Amino acid sequence: MIEEWSEVEQWTAELALRLLPETNGPTIEVFCGIVIVSPHANMDHQTIMREIVYRLHHAARGIGCWAYPESNLISGDDLFIPDFGVFRVSGSGKVAMNIADALLLGEIVLPGNRRKDIIDRPKQYAAAGVPWFMRVECRNRVPVLALHSLVDGEYRPVAAAAAGTRFVMREPFVFEIDPADLLDE
């Protein structure tokens, strides 16, 4: 298989999913023909992801949607792995989801990935027409949750709350949480 890798001039999502092994190790993404490999994030990131996906999944099921952590997401030739997403279709039995099926995509921002999660990813998701974007930012172990709606090709803030207050959203489905509940404390 490694011989095949050396012959690849430009990577695509399809090639990556076909040639690279499934892994629970580093995250492997493809953007503009380049393969990007990243190690797993720290334990706060993992804890926040576990909690937000669990809670979003229960809330989203009320409107017939499914939430997943770190899904392979195909957008044209690109392969993204958002920290979490809510989809209009079940991922059951699939290796990857199509970005057209994404209702909400989310990123967890910690030091070291700020540009990707605050600037790059939201632009890419907005360009693909994903209607909702959620960001969990954690500075000094204080989580802040923010929801953005796609308006005229850009994400606009709709709701936000910091730990110790209540985050409330009514669209695209009802969901409430104190962001402090996202960490193991």
Side-chain angles (χ1 to χ4, degrees):
M1 188 175 304
I2 290 180
E3 297 80 35
E4 294 179 63
W5 297 358
S6 63
E7 297 173 13
V8 175
E9 290 184 26
Q10 178 153 344
W11 284 88
T12 64
E14 178 187 335
L15 276 174
L17 291 171
R18 185 167 48 87
L19 294 179
L20 299 175
E22 288 184 35
T23 177
N24 286 330
T27 301
I28 301 170
E29 300 174 290
V30 176
F31 181 63
C32 294
I34 298 168
V35 174
I36 302 164
V37 179
S38 307
H40 276 291
N42 69 31
M43 296 311 286
D44 282 348
H45 185 281
Q46 300 299 322
T47 301
I48 291 168
M49 184 168 40
R50 177 194 70 218
E51 289 299 318
I52 194 84
V53 170
Y54 175 79
R55 292 164 188 250
L56 283 172
H57 185 73
H58 286 285
R61 290 301 297 133
I63 64 164
C65 291
W66 294 261
Y68 297 102
E70 296 183 324
S71 302
N72 291 322
L73 184 65
I74 297 173
S75 178
D77 283 339
D78 294 332
L79 174 66
F80 299 121
I81 302 179
D83 289 326
F84 57 92
V86 176
F87 296 89
R88 295 178 189 96
V89 299
S90 170
S92 183
K94 297 178 182 178
V95 172
M97 302 293 280
N98 190 301
I99 200 163
D101 294 324
L103 175 64
L104 177 152
L105 294 176
E107 297 293 342
I108 300 165
V109 182
L110 293 170
N113 63 354
R114 293 188 61 74
R115 178 181 170 83
K116 178 187 78 151
D117 293 342
I118 292 176
I119 298 170
D120 299 339
R121 286 296 170 83
K123 281 185 182 179
Q124 293 155 352
Y125 301 157
V130 177
W132 299 92
F133 175 72
M134 183 177 280
R135 182 169 51 235
V136 182
E137 197 156 347
C138 195
R139 289 187 185 180
N140 300 318
R141 303 200 73 241
V142 176
V144 175
L145 189 57
L147 177 68
H148 299 81
S149 175
L150 187 63
V151 178
D152 297 327
E154 294 181 1
Y155 287 118
R156 306 271 165 81
V158 174
T165 63
R166 202 90 187 134
F167 173 84
V168 178
M169 70 183 217
R170 299 288 175 233
E171 292 183 87
F173 49 89
V174 176
F175 178 70
E176 293 186 35
I177 190 172
D178 177 344
D181 294 339
L182 296 174
L183 285 176
D184 286 339
E185 297 300 313

